[in-house]
Structure formats: structure tokens, C-alpha cells
Amino acid sequence: MANEDKKYSESSGRQVPLANVRNIGIMAHIDAGKTTLSERILFYTGKNYKIGEVHEGAATMDWMVQEQERGITITSAATTCFWEGHRLNLIDTPGHVDFTAEVERSLRVLDGSVGVFCAVGKVQPQSETVWRQAQKYKVPVIACVNKMDRTGADYYAVVKDIRHKLGANAVAMQVPIGAEAEFKGVVDILTHRAYYYDGDENGAVVREEEVPAEYRDKAKEELHTLVECLAEVNDEIMELFLADEMPSTEQIKKALRESVLAGTIVPVFCCSAFKNKGVQKVLDAIVDYLPSPVDKWDINGSNPFSGEAESRHCGDTEPFAALAFKIMNDPYVGKLTFFRIYSGTAEKGMTVYNPRTTKRERLGRLLQMHANQREERDQIFSGDIAAAVGLKNVTTGDTICDENSPIVLESMSFPEPVISIAVEPKTTADRDKLTKALIALAEEDPTFRVHSNVETGQTIISGMGELHLEIIVDRLTREFKVGANTGAPEVSYRETILKPGNADTKFARQSGGRGQYGHVILDITPCERGHGLTIENKVVGGNIPKEYIKPIEQGITEAAQTGVLCGSPVIDLHVNILDGSYHPVDSSEMAFKIAGSMAFKEACHKAGLCVLEPIMKLEITTPDENMGDIIGDITSRRGSVVEVESDASTNFTKINAIAPLSELFGYSTALRSVSRGRASYSMEPSHFDNVPKAIQEKIVEKSKS
């Protein structure tokens, strides 16, 4: 459906028409130059008067102290700028795999994206990950080959790599003029003009000239390739192509835009953001080829009460519907909720409805964000991205909408945390502050989890990798002023019996006055994995009065919880309380509780004990060429491969395996090392299994020390 056929409403308070809004993200592998490109975009659009450099820790979009120190992006930063009468809502996303959730939630609310590739590194591991995320949310992408000034830069090799590794129909839109240190500008194959960026005005002055003679043939060749690719996906271009007619520039642009929106073609541009060359052409491409909210016409969701499918259309007078995609704790204004409005208009002080909690909430202040700077707004319009203060019970992925027209928009999914460490406060005074800080951080980050291990008493924090948790601990100290120590968590082992056993145990104490007497006879039988602990009373004839049966069961249960061999819970067995005796004066509940505990331990020793360890189920997705190394690594970790599934269309293999948890600490780092960062995995508990004898001896010895 063409934009002119889509009937949508616009408010008189709008700065630019809805069709001129672009919600875009910058995504790439770490160090491909995303933030540097974002800084140039802000400079050329007039948002910033000065270019901030990443290596100097002065980049606007990298505002966190941790980002400035490390020279990497950790949190996605949002801003708004204007180019050629268009409003660009821009989100700069992280490139490190540990912060993949930031990319995931950003892509969910964006309409289009610029994939940045290093001219030397080509398609790097995290490039593949973010590309798959963009495909998942059907986000149209244009590609930008950055760092054309670097030694070894090869624009055409990157175009080929995008086709080969990402399976995308990539087409070159420009011919670079010079390469490496001699990179001066670009030839636009559509306008057939050369653009030079050799002035001293930070690249703000562009010189347009005729195409140099040595680049004319290459420009014509690339234009022919583009038309040929368009002919495969566009009927109008196909007719002209078969008739040996060259389409007009406007026809090519129109067909190319349709193809980008459909995801059938990826136009590739080139630049050197650091040397201020070629960025304006990327801005032109964002305006020309990436979608507006009008192009993403159908916003699908469901009715929260009936569950039936519903949809919304963009427009300022439509019923209000927005998706909260990010929570941030601001030291000055408190909890900020970032949201994207799909339909309707948000006004300061208005009441919105949250279908998840079935509660109404009030939008306090509305803020237009520029990284960590805020600009107050009275209204936010359809298609825009902003932040609100005052939403108390809204979390990442929640829909906020008009109560009279409720809808639940499609949320987002996040990978499970893969690595954990224990954290504890340095002082007693830090204990409450640590709890509050961890709750606030978990609210911000859906891939960060906190739980307390009831067996070890440790507070365990889990995340996507060592760097992720390192940043969390650093933020605890700097932002929340909490002193914390960290250490590796303990593996939760279990114990079980090897064969049936029995015990005939008396507990008798005499100390001058009333004594203690309890006598219990029981037997124990091993059961299948997952059975747990069951107890049955088979005492007959009143040899043990009924009021003492419960204390015996409590004694057995407590003994099983505290363990017999290494202090771990005893599981997967059945206990029969068979018989015993009592003393009319000396017997008591406490005496029978102790007798039951002693009898259970004695029976366990007779039956023989072994230690069980948690076994994890792994699902690893890896490029075919790394499969052998990864299987070898799993085997070296006492693991075994259950199933291998290959996908010839993607050249990726899925490996299902099981391995002990104790061998998997730090596995995310090892997997990245083996696969050069291209493999990914998920892990979940599977079952408990026997520990090898040599390892069991070490566990028992450690528990006694």
C-alpha cells in the first residue's frame, strides 16, 4: 500500500510530517565505528557544534564513565536530530556480545537500521548476531562500510562478505575514490557525480565534480549490477531491463526503497567517519531508503482480555499505544521509562493503562533525550521515541495504552544469563544498600538476574559474560556507592544412596533427673532420579506413640537437608519407619527427633553414599568450521554430545550436549575463543548425575576442611 493511500492523522503541533520521521539504529560489531559515525551525524545535522571522539572519552553518545574509560558502548543511547526536513530518532547500540540485550530491545522499536562494517575486518562475529536480530524483528537495513582510510581497506570485499556470510543481496551504491590513506571521496552511481571531502571544515564542505575518467567504467558496471538485482525483485524494472532500457534515477530510487523495505536488497555505502568523509551520503540514504512509521503501517498486537489479534495504525488522533523498551535510573529525575509511540499522542500528566498489571499510571514529565541530557516536552507524537518520569510499575517490554482501547503489543525476548558470580557487601552498613542497588540494576537490565542461594547463603548475580558483570560491580561502587566483594559461586551438589540400608538406633541420655530416650528402626531404599525424599510410617501395635512419629520425620528430613557425606542434601530415596520403642517417662519429641536423625545417617552409611552434580543442557549454534573444536572442548569438560543438526543454507550447526555445571564456569569466554566470537549458546539445568570417584573424594575432603 503506497503512503498516499494510507489515511493517517497528524497533530498541528508536529515539527515534521509523520512520513518524514525516521526511527533508526546504528548496529555493528565492536570497534566498527558506530559511535564515531553517530557523532558525525550529530555534527552534520547541527545537533552538536563540536565532534566528540571516542578515543578521547568525549563522545556524546558514550556518556557513561565506564564507556568513556573503555572506549566501548555499553548502553544504547537515544537522540533526535534533523536532516533535509526529516526528523531522525537515532539510537546508538553496543557492539559487545555481553550487551546484546541493548541491541535486541532497540531493534524492537526501530523502523530501520544502519549496519556498520569495518572496511578491513569485513563481516565480524557480532555483525552476524546483530544482523540476525534485525531479521528477527524484520527491520530493513542499509549497510555502511566504515574505516575506508585504514590500511587494508577493501570496499568490494566487504560487499562480497555481506552476500556470503549474511546471505543478503548486497549491492554497491558507490565507487570509492582512492583507498586507505588516499581515500578522498565517493562516486554516486545513481547521480554519476563525484563527491570530495578534502576541506578543513571537518568534512562539512562537500565538493561536487565530474566523475574522474578512471572511475567511469566501474560506476557504470555497478549501476548495471544494481539494475539487474532490482529487475529480479521489481516488475517495473524487469520490463525495462528486458527491453534493454535504462530506468530513470527516480524509478531506480523508488524500486530500491521498496526493495529495502521488503528486505530483498541491501544497498551498501562507504565512508571514513573518523576522517569526516562520506557521512552526508549515508544520511541521504537514511532519508531515501529507510522506512517511516507510515511504511510500518500495521502494528500487530492482541486484546488483553480476549487474546484475539488486534492491530493499530500510526496517527496522532488514533487510540494511544506505546511500548516501553528500556528502564534507566537517572540520578537527577529518578526512574526513566523509554517508550516508542506507535499510535496516538502522549501528553504530560495523562493517565495510561498497563495491561500486564491491569493498573492505571500517570505520565509525569515527558522528556526528549539526547544521550543523558533531557529536554522537557508537553507532547510526544505518534512515531516518536521519548522517556517518561513517573511510571512506577512499568518494566521492559510492557505496553502502555488507552484504557478504553486496550492492546498488548508484541514484546521482546532476551537470552538467558550464562555466567554467575557471588557478591556480598563489604560492611554491614552496605547490606541494605546492596539489595536496593541490585534490584534497581535488575529492573534496568533484563539479562541481569539476582537470586539468593538458600543452601550457601550467597547472593548470586548472573549476566551475559565477564565484562557484563564487571560493569555491574563497577556501577555498584560508582553510582550506588556500595562496597561489594565478589567471588565464584559454589556448585550445589546432592547426595544419594547406592543400595538399600537399615538402622536400629537408640538415643538414651541419663543425667540425674529425667532422661532422654528414643528408639527408631528404619530402612531406606534408593529411587529413580527426580524422586526426592519420601517417608512412610509402618509402625504398628503402638510401639512408638503417634505423637512421636512427626518428630522422627522431622529428624530424618533435617538430616537429609544437611547431608551425610559432604554437607549436601540427600535425595532420591524412600524411608520406611518400621518399629522402635519408647519410655513412658524419659521419651520426648526431642529425643525421637534426634533418634530419627541418627538412624537415618547410620542407614545411609550402611547403604553407601555417592555425590551427585548438576548436569546442564547446552544448545550451541556454531559455524560449521568450528564444530570439531567445540565438540572436542565439550568432551574435555566431561560432557557428551546428544545431537548435531546442520543447516546447509546458513553454514551453521546446532549442537545439543550435556555437561556438568562445575566444568562450565567461564564457558562463554572459552566458546568465544574457540569460535572467534561467532558461536552462541544457551544453558539450562537438566538433571543430577554421579560424580566420578576422584572428584567425589576432593568434594568430600573440601567439605571437611
Side-chain angles (χ1 to χ4, degrees):
M1 192 193 299
N3 283 355
E4 53 269 23
D5 298 330
K6 296 171 180 174
K7 304 299 181 190
Y8 56 90
S9 54
E10 293 191 346
S11 168
S12 58
R14 271 189 168 278
Q15 287 177 286
V16 297
L18 187 56
N20 286 10
V21 173
R22 300 287 183 272
N23 291 309
I24 59 158
I26 311 289
M27 63 177 197
H29 184 86
I30 190 169
D31 205 31
K34 296 178 305 304
T35 303
T36 304
L37 179 63
S38 298
E39 292 299 314
R40 269 51 182 190
I41 288 175
L42 295 180
F43 177 74
Y44 297 134
T45 57
K47 186 73 179 181
N48 285 356
Y49 68 90
K50 178 176 175 287
I51 293 175
E53 299 294 3
V54 174
H55 63 275
E56 294 172 357
T60 305
M61 303 299 268
D62 283 353
W63 57 270
M64 288 175 68
V65 177
Q66 292 85 353
E67 293 177 317
Q68 293 164 358
E69 286 179 350
R70 291 166 173 80
I72 63 170
T73 302
I74 292 168
T75 183
S76 53
T79 190
T80 298
C81 52
F82 296 87
W83 182 255
E84 303 292 343
H86 289 70
R87 179 194 186 97
L88 309 184
N89 294 318
L90 174 72
I91 295 183
D92 177 30
T93 65
H96 197 287
V97 67
D98 281 14
F99 309 107
T100 187
E102 288 289 324
V103 186
E104 185 91 16
R105 60 179 166 194
S106 298
L107 285 171
R108 168 62 186 87
V109 297
L110 293 171
D111 298 327
S113 182
V114 179
V116 182
F117 299 88
C118 174
V120 180
K122 299 189 277 294
V123 176
Q124 296 165 288
Q126 186 65 5
S127 309
E128 297 179 45
T129 305
V130 296
W131 195 272
R132 287 200 295 266
Q133 287 173 307
Q135 301 300 304
K136 174 181 172 183
Y137 292 113
K138 296 182 174 60
V139 176
V141 182
I142 62 171
C144 174
V145 179
N146 191 24
K147 302 193 176 184
M148 285 296 296
D149 58 298
R150 287 263 309 272
T151 303
D154 191 336
Y155 172 63
Y156 300 109
V158 181
V159 176
K160 284 181 185 172
D161 216 31
I162 293 171
R163 288 176 189 155
H164 173 64
K165 286 187 178 173
L166 303 178
N169 191 5
V171 289
M173 296 297 295
Q174 296 169 331
V175 174
I177 300 173
E180 302 178 349
E182 298 302 312
F183 178 66
K184 296 172 186 170
V186 297
V187 174
D188 187 318
I189 64 171
L190 291 184
T191 61
H192 208 66
R193 299 288 290 173
Y195 299 90
Y196 293 90
Y197 306 84
D198 50 8
D200 297 325
E201 305 295 323
N202 289 324
V205 177
V206 184
R207 180 163 52 91
E208 182 183 337
E209 290 188 4
E210 291 285 332
V211 177
E214 64 267 33
Y215 294 107
R216 286 172 190 164
D217 289 343
K218 184 64 177 172
K220 286 177 182 174
E221 180 190 326
E222 293 299 341
L223 179 60
H224 184 269
T225 302
L226 170 61
V227 173
E228 197 172 353
C229 289
L230 285 172
E232 294 175 5
V233 295
N234 185 281
D235 292 340
E236 185 183 356
I237 304 296
M238 170 66 84
E239 289 175 15
L240 294 167
F241 183 75
L242 292 175
D244 280 335
E245 291 180 31
M246 177 57 71
S248 68
T249 301
E250 287 309 310
Q251 286 175 312
I252 294 174
K253 275 191 167 186
K254 181 173 177 287
L256 185 56
R257 178 179 170 78
E258 289 171 2
S259 301
V260 171
L261 300 191
T264 53
I265 284 183
V266 176
V268 187
F269 301 83
C270 64
C271 73
S272 169
F274 182 56
K275 293 294 176 68
N276 311 308
K277 295 175 180 176
V279 177
Q280 291 93 326
K281 281 291 172 187
V282 177
L283 278 166
D284 289 340
I286 289 169
V287 166
D288 289 341
Y289 305 119
L290 288 180
S292 72
V294 181
D295 295 303
K296 311 281 275 189
W297 184 243
D298 285 309
I299 303 120
N300 296 320
S302 61
N303 186 293
F305 304 111
S306 67
E308 292 179 8
E310 284 193 14
S311 66
R312 291 280 185 276
H313 302 310
C314 58
D316 295 337
T317 58
E318 296 290 313
F320 176 73
L323 187 74
F325 67 95
K326 180 179 170 75
I327 307 295
M328 189 175 91
N329 287 292
D330 188 290
Y332 301 104
V333 298
K335 179 180 166 183
L336 279 177
T337 304
F338 285 75
F339 61 94
R340 153 79 192 266
I341 301 182
Y342 285 95
S343 65
T345 305
E347 295 180 4
K348 187 165 76 171
M350 74 182 274
T351 300
V352 295
Y353 177 71
N354 184 343
R356 181 182 63 83
T357 61
T358 67
K359 289 190 170 74
R360 290 189 295 271
E361 294 210 41
R362 186 174 171 273
L363 288 174
R365 294 160 64 193
L366 294 176
L367 305 173
Q368 191 75 61
M369 298 301 292
H370 177 45
N372 64 329
Q373 297 167 21
R374 301 164 297 278
E375 179 189 329
E376 294 265 355
R377 294 275 300 276
D378 292 328
Q379 271 189 317
I380 305 292
F381 301 103
S382 176
D384 280 350
I385 292 171
V389 181
L391 297 173
K392 294 184 176 60
N393 298 310
V394 173
T395 62
T396 300
D398 278 358
T399 300
I400 50 175
C401 59
D402 183 337
E403 188 176 11
N404 297 319
S405 301
I407 188 171
V408 177
L409 301 174
E410 181 192 348
S411 189
M412 55 204 90
S413 57
F414 298 103
E416 288 296 313
V418 296
I419 187 168
S420 304
I421 61 170
V423 62
E424 60 183 26
K426 280 187 177 175
T427 65
T428 308
D430 284 324
R431 188 174 300 279
D432 288 343
K433 285 164 68 179
L434 177 65
T435 303
K436 287 177 183 173
L438 290 176
I439 290 170
L441 288 168
E443 192 177 44
E444 277 189 23
D445 187 347
T447 57
F448 172 63
R449 307 281 171 82
V450 184
H451 74 277
S452 183
N453 188 320
V454 292
E455 290 161 20
T456 63
Q458 292 173 303
T459 298
I460 308 295
I461 60 173
S462 306
M464 297 307 297
E466 282 92 342
L467 179 62
H468 187 194
L469 295 182
E470 182 189 319
I471 298 294
I472 291 286
V473 173
D474 193 31
R475 289 185 64 191
L476 283 175
T477 307
R478 295 197 195 192
E479 285 179 39
F480 296 93
K481 306 292 187 288
V482 178
N485 296 319
T486 59
E490 297 290 329
V491 175
S492 296
Y493 292 105
R494 298 287 187 273
E495 300 172 21
T496 195
I497 57 173
L498 297 169
K499 60 181 189 291
N502 57 69
D504 184 338
T505 305
K506 280 183 184 176
F507 172 68
R509 292 284 184 274
Q510 202 68 42
S511 56
R514 182 182 171 182
Q516 297 282 355
Y517 181 88
H519 176 210
V520 177
I521 301 170
L522 54 76
D523 67 18
I524 56 176
T525 312
C527 299
E528 72 280 0
R529 293 286 165 268
H531 178 85
L533 171 69
T534 51
I535 304 170
E536 188 177 350
N537 174 28
K538 290 191 173 181
V539 178
V540 292
N543 290 344
I544 301 176
K546 284 185 179 179
E547 63 264 28
Y548 294 140
I549 297 298
K550 193 164 186 180
I552 294 171
E553 291 177 351
Q554 286 176 343
I556 293 168
T557 303
E558 287 180 14
Q561 278 298 316
T562 54
V564 179
L565 194 61
C566 65
S568 298
V570 185
I571 60 169
D572 299 340
L573 73 162
H574 179 74
V575 182
N576 288 315
I577 305 171
L578 301 173
D579 205 354
S581 62
Y582 75 103
H583 188 281
V585 176
D586 292 347
S587 287
S588 66
E589 289 187 3
M590 179 58 72
F592 271 102
K593 185 177 178 180
I594 294 170
S597 175
M598 290 169 60
F600 177 77
K601 289 179 180 178
E602 184 186 333
C604 285
H605 282 299
K606 286 182 180 178
L609 286 154
C610 72
V611 177
L612 300 174
E613 63 182 340
I615 304 297
M616 309 303 286
K617 188 160 58 177
L618 292 164
E619 186 179 284
I620 305 159
T621 304
T622 174
D624 293 344
E625 62 261 33
N626 301 121
M627 182 177 70
D629 293 336
I630 287 172
I631 289 175
D633 183 60
I634 291 169
T635 306
S636 72
R637 294 171 183 271
R638 298 193 286 119
S640 59
V641 174
V642 177
E643 186 182 21
V644 176
E645 296 176 26
S646 291
D647 187 343
S649 64
T650 61
N651 296 321
F652 269 74
T653 297
K654 188 160 75 174
I655 301 168
N656 291 313
I658 55 172
L661 175 62
S662 60
E663 302 287 341
L664 293 174
F665 289 121
Y667 183 63
S668 55
T669 305
L671 183 66
R672 286 175 204 160
S673 177
V674 169
S675 67
R676 300 192 306 283
R678 296 180 66 194
S680 60
Y681 81 108
S682 62
M683 178 170 70
E684 61 183 42
S686 175
H687 62 281
F688 282 87
D689 209 350
N690 294 16
V691 170
K693 193 172 182 182
I695 295 175
Q696 176 169 312
E697 287 171 1
K698 290 180 184 176
I699 294 168
V700 173
E701 190 177 324
K702 184 181 176 184
S703 70
K704 291 176 180 176
S705 61

